[in-house]
Amino acid sequence: MNCHFFVGNDNGNSEHDMIIDGKLIQQPNVNCTVDTLPWSEEQAPESFIKNLQDQLVVTVDSPAARPAMYYIGKFALESGEILDTLQIGIDLKCDMDLPIVNTLAQIAAAAVQKAYAEEKKVPENIEVEVDMVTALPVTQHTDENAAKFERRFMSGTHHVTVHLGIQRVAVKIVFPFTKVVPEATPVIFTLQKDADGGWREGSIFKEFAETYEQDEKKFNGSYFKDKRILHVDIGDGSTEYPITEGNKFLRQFVHGSHHGIGYAIEEALDEFNRLIHLPDSPRQFFSDVIKNGKHKFHARAIRTLKRPLESQVRQIIQNVKRQLTKARNEIDIICVYGGGSILMRSILYPQLKEISDERDMKLLYVPSEYAVQLNAMGLDAFVRGKIYEALKNKAAQPV
C-alpha cells in the first residue's frame, strides 16, 4: 500500500506533539534501545492497532539515526529501561537521533493504522511519502542548523519495522521536502485560521473576548490578521519570544532564553524523589505526575515545584520586558502558550496582565486545552498552506 501524509511535527523536550494526516498524537518524547521484543507469545496483531502509539516498538534502519530496536514514548517511559531523552539547554535537536527516531516511529505507526482502516487487514508492506514542517527553538534556529535538520529527513529512504506482537510490518518512508522553521512562529496561522481554512472562533478566545469586552459571538481569528504580537512560548527547556506582524515573522526580534518548566522540574526532582522514597526517577515521570491531578503523588509534586516555578517566572518576565523595550512597546498583544504556561499561570498571568495594562497592550493567555498543541496546529496549518507549497516548488527547480 502507498500513502501520503501531511505532518506538523512539534518535537518538544518533554512532549512530542504531531498532527499526522489531520490526527493529533501526543507522546512523551523519550525512547530506549532494546535487544529483544517484549512479547514472546503470539497475540492477534489486530489487537495492537487501536492503541498502537501507547505500545509502540519499532526497528529503525535509517541513514539519519543509529540502527536499533526502540521502545517509543509512553511504552519506553513505563518500561523501566534506561531512557534516551533531550537534555534541556544542552542538546542541539538537529544533531540528536531522538527526534528522528520518534518522528519515524510515529509516522510508521500512523501508516499501519491507516492501512488497516482502509484494507481491513494487517498489511505486510507500506510505502509512505511525507510532506513535513517541523521546528527548532529560536535559540538553535540558524540557516545552517535548519538545513542540517532538513537534510537528515530528506537524504534517503528510512526503513521502519513496526512490531505488532511477533508480527512485523515493513514501512518505507521518504520525505521529498521538509521545512524547519523557528518554534512559535507558525502559531500566527493557528490564531487566525481553523483546520478548514475559515476564521478561527470558539472557546480559545472566550476569556480574551470577555476581558476586553469584545462580542464573543462575533469574535474570531480575523482580529489578529494585522496585529503586532509578542509571543511567549514556554516549553520545557526554552522559552521563545518572537514578534510577528500579521503573518510576517520579524527576524530582527529573534530572542529565546533557557527558561521553562523543565528547569523547575529538574530543580525540584531530588526533593520529589525523596518524598516518594525513590533514589531516582526521570524528569518525564515527574512531568506526567504533575499533569495527572488524580495521581497519588500529585500534591507532593506540586508542593516541591512552587519555589522553582517562581524563579523561572521571574526570569521569563525579565525577558518579556527586554523584548518590549527592544520593540519600544509597539506591541498590540502579548500571547502566552506552550506546555509550561499551564503550570505557571497562577504566578505569571497577574504579572503579565499588569505589564500589558500599563503599556496599553492586550494579553491573550491561551487556555490550557489549547496551550500545548498550538505549535503543532500551527505547523500543520503551515504544511498545508500556500507558503509551504511555494517553498517546495522552488526547491524542486534546478539550480
Side-chain angles (χ1 to χ4, degrees), residues 140-274:
Q140 297 181 16
H141 188 279
T142 63
D143 289 345
E144 184 182 344
N145 285 344
K148 185 194 295 181
F149 206 26
E150 289 165 0
R151 278 198 303 274
R152 294 188 73 188
F153 288 104
M154 293 165 60
S155 58
T157 301
H158 310 270
H159 299 266
V160 181
T161 302
V162 179
H163 299 277
L164 306 175
I166 59 174
Q167 184 161 330
R168 302 172 175 189
V169 181
V171 184
K172 247 193 262 185
I173 303 173
V174 293
F175 296 82
F177 184 65
T178 292
K179 182 66 182 170
V180 175
V181 300
E183 283 180 3
T185 54
V187 166
I188 51 177
F189 301 107
T190 315
L191 290 178
Q192 293 178 32
K193 297 290 184 72
D194 61 24
D196 298 323
W199 294 117
R200 182 172 297 282
E201 53 188 23
S203 59
I204 188 172
F205 302 132
K206 185 174 188 296
E207 182 185 67
F208 183 83
E210 287 174 354
T211 302
Y212 297 106
E213 298 178 345
Q214 302 277 333
D215 186 340
E216 187 187 333
K217 291 180 180 174
K218 294 181 180 176
F219 190 88
N220 62 36
S222 64
Y223 178 85
F224 301 96
K225 65 182 179 182
D226 55 359
K227 294 292 188 292
R228 197 171 166 101
I229 300 174
L230 168 59
H231 300 249
V232 184
D233 178 11
I234 307 172
D236 239 42
S238 65
T239 296
E240 319 295 334
Y241 312 86
I243 294 175
T244 56
E245 189 172 67
N247 288 340
K248 195 165 58 175
F249 167 50
L250 303 183
R251 189 161 282 281
Q252 68 269 36
F253 294 111
V254 165
H255 181 57
S257 70
H258 293 299
H259 302 106
I261 191 72
Y263 292 96
I265 287 174
E266 288 207 335
E267 192 177 335
L269 192 55
D270 286 346
E271 176 64 5
F272 174 67
N273 285 332
R274 189 185 69 78

Side-chain angles (χ1 to χ4, degrees), residues 74-147:
K74 183 181 177 185
F75 198 71
L77 190 61
E78 295 176 348
S79 70
E81 301 284 347
I82 297 172
L83 294 174
D84 190 10
T85 65
L86 292 169
Q87 296 185 63
I88 56 176
I90 299 174
D91 291 332
L92 276 177
K93 285 183 187 174
C94 61
D95 290 334
M96 303 303 295
D97 279 359
L98 186 140
I100 305 287
V101 169
N102 284 12
T103 296
L104 294 174
Q106 297 299 348
I107 290 171
V112 171
Q113 289 174 315
K114 183 181 176 70
Y116 182 76
E118 292 182 1
E119 299 183 350
K120 308 302 179 194
K121 64 177 183 180
V122 176
E124 293 183 0
N125 300 283
I126 308 172
E127 294 189 12
V128 190
E129 190 174 288
V130 179
D131 279 297
M132 185 171 79
V133 175
T134 187
L136 288 172
V138 168
T139 46
Q140 297 181 16
H141 188 279
T142 63
D143 289 345
E144 184 182 344
N145 285 344

Side-chain angles (χ1 to χ4, degrees), residues 229-357:
I229 300 174
L230 168 59
H231 300 249
V232 184
D233 178 11
I234 307 172
D236 239 42
S238 65
T239 296
E240 319 295 334
Y241 312 86
I243 294 175
T244 56
E245 189 172 67
N247 288 340
K248 195 165 58 175
F249 167 50
L250 303 183
R251 189 161 282 281
Q252 68 269 36
F253 294 111
V254 165
H255 181 57
S257 70
H258 293 299
H259 302 106
I261 191 72
Y263 292 96
I265 287 174
E266 288 207 335
E267 192 177 335
L269 192 55
D270 286 346
E271 176 64 5
F272 174 67
N273 285 332
R274 189 185 69 78
L275 289 177
I276 63 172
H277 305 287
L278 280 178
D280 192 16
S281 60
R283 178 166 49 87
Q284 285 77 7
F285 171 68
F286 190 12
S287 183
D288 271 8
V289 173
I290 291 166
K291 290 174 192 165
N292 182 0
K294 294 180 180 177
H295 197 286
K296 66 177 182 178
F297 297 141
H298 181 76
R300 281 182 241 189
I302 293 294
R303 193 165 71 239
T304 60
L305 202 55
K306 185 172 182 298
R307 192 186 53 75
L309 268 184
E310 289 172 346
S311 171
Q312 291 300 306
V313 166
R314 276 196 301 276
Q315 298 298 326
I316 289 169
I317 288 289
Q318 288 304 315
N319 279 280
V320 167
K321 287 180 175 176
R322 195 169 297 145
Q323 275 294 71
L324 290 174
T325 300
K326 190 175 179 183
R328 301 189 188 284
N329 288 329
E330 290 184 306
I331 295 293
D332 298 310
I333 300 164
I334 300 174
C335 180
V336 187
Y337 50 89
S341 71
I342 300 169
L343 274 176
M344 290 182 182
R345 183 183 170 107
S346 62
I347 310 169
L348 184 58
Y349 183 94
Q351 296 186 47
L352 285 179
K353 184 68 169 57
E354 184 179 345
I355 289 171
S356 58
D357 285 349

